[in-house]
Amino acid sequence: DAGVIQSPRHEVTEMGQEVTLRCKPISGHNSLFWYRQTMMRGLELLIYFNNNVPIDDSGMPEDRFSAKMPNASFSTLKIQPSEPRDSAVYFCASSPRLAGVPYEQYFGPGTRLTVT
Amino acid sequence: EDQVTQSPEALRLQEGESSSLNCSYTVSGLRGLFWYRQDPGKGPEFLFTLYSAGEEKEKERLKATLTKKESFLHITAPKPEDSATYLCAVQARNNDMRFGAGTRLTVKP
């Protein structure tokens, strides 16, 4: 299995631009998670989906952030407009279990976002 | 509020020098405690899930244990390839998943 795939691996953009991060979870997994990691705040859960349905988006920092999962093999995280404080590494993870039972997660390699 | 505190922040060991990493937690109803390993520039890699106090899990040189307030990751006779950041995460009854800040382990040959 190829594992969780994320693209792009690196993104540099200017403040005010729209940014879209993409994720392909492991085939057959039932839940998908988006995280943000910074030195100051560590790893923070932004949103998660069970069977393609958003369950909890309470970690999404602002309305500028949105996430979709149109099917079982694809998800996007969009930031519009982007700001310098959004600079971080964004991880996508998937789990064979539904979030709601103890669930181990399998993380992608991350997208390093820099907003200038 | 749910909290996860890992100590120490950083640990330097000589190859073969055994030690333990600590994860202290306060959570409203523990569903599971997880250990992950993260190498620089990569995503966290799942190691263990612990469900209840008294449980232990082992994998190669690593052993994870759990009490009602903390978990330990014991590393026996570590090798340089065990160098990484080790993250602890707790899943609460409301399914919130909270990660600790991690312990950065360096094992010198």
Side-chain angles (χ1 to χ4, degrees):
Chain A
D1 199 318
V4 175
I5 298 172
Q6 292 187 246
S7 65
R9 294 294 312 278
H10 302 273
E11 176 81 39
V12 180
T13 191
E14 291 184 349
M15 183 174 64
Q17 297 299 305
E18 177 180 298
V19 175
T20 299
L21 311 182
R22 297 173 175 79
C23 175
K24 176 178 169 56
I26 294 172
S27 177
H29 279 197
N30 297 308
S31 52
L32 182 141
F33 309 82
W34 283 100
Y35 285 87
R36 179 172 67 176
Q37 187 174 42
T38 60
M39 289 294 293
M40 290 296 295
R41 300 177 67 89
L43 201 58
E44 300 175 284
L45 178 63
L46 301 177
I47 184 172
Y48 70 87
F49 298 80
N50 275 356
N51 291 330
N52 314 337
V53 176
I55 301 300
D56 187 350
D57 65 353
S58 59
M60 297 285 257
E62 298 173 37
D63 291 345
R64 299 183 295 106
F65 286 70
S66 62
K68 294 181 179 180
M69 191 166 185
N71 58 62
S73 45
F74 184 66
S75 177
T76 60
L77 178 68
K78 185 177 294 186
I79 308 172
Q80 166 63 20
S82 58
E83 296 183 2
R85 59 192 166 126
D86 301 331
S87 298
V89 181
Y90 290 81
F91 288 104
C92 175
S94 68
S95 178
R97 308 178 192 276
L98 294 174
V101 297
Y103 55 91
E104 71 277 17
Q105 297 167 82
Y106 298 86
F107 284 77
T111 294
R112 180 173 296 277
L113 173 65
T114 303
V115 183
T116 62
Chain B
E1 182 180 299
D2 300 338
Q3 284 196 334
V4 181
T5 304
Q6 292 190 245
S7 61
E9 288 186 14
L11 181 62
R12 296 172 66 91
L13 300 173
Q14 287 297 125
E15 184 172 3
E17 179 187 3
S18 301
S19 188
S20 296
L21 314 182
N22 178 264
C23 172
S24 298
Y25 64 91
T26 54
V27 64
S28 50
L30 180 71
R31 279 186 177 264
L33 185 142
F34 307 85
W35 283 98
Y36 289 85
R37 167 192 172 129
Q38 186 174 22
D39 292 297
K42 296 189 177 181
E45 175 188 346
F46 170 70
L47 293 174
F48 302 110
T49 306
L50 300 167
Y51 297 96
S52 58
E55 189 175 2
E56 298 183 352
K57 294 272 180 76
E58 283 189 69
K59 180 180 179 180
E60 296 180 355
R61 294 177 293 282
L62 302 177
K63 183 168 104 172
T65 61
L66 180 64
T67 72
K68 289 187 177 179
K69 294 184 177 181
E70 58 191 349
S71 176
F72 291 95
L73 185 66
H74 306 279
I75 303 177
T76 301
K79 298 182 178 181
E81 54 261 43
D82 294 323
S83 297
T85 295
Y86 290 85
L87 298 168
C88 166
V90 296
Q91 180 184 351
R93 186 187 301 118
N94 65 359
N95 296 317
D96 277 357
M97 183 72 77
R98 190 173 296 271
F99 278 78
T103 293
R104 188 172 64 256
L105 175 66
T106 305
V107 182
K108 293 291 190 181

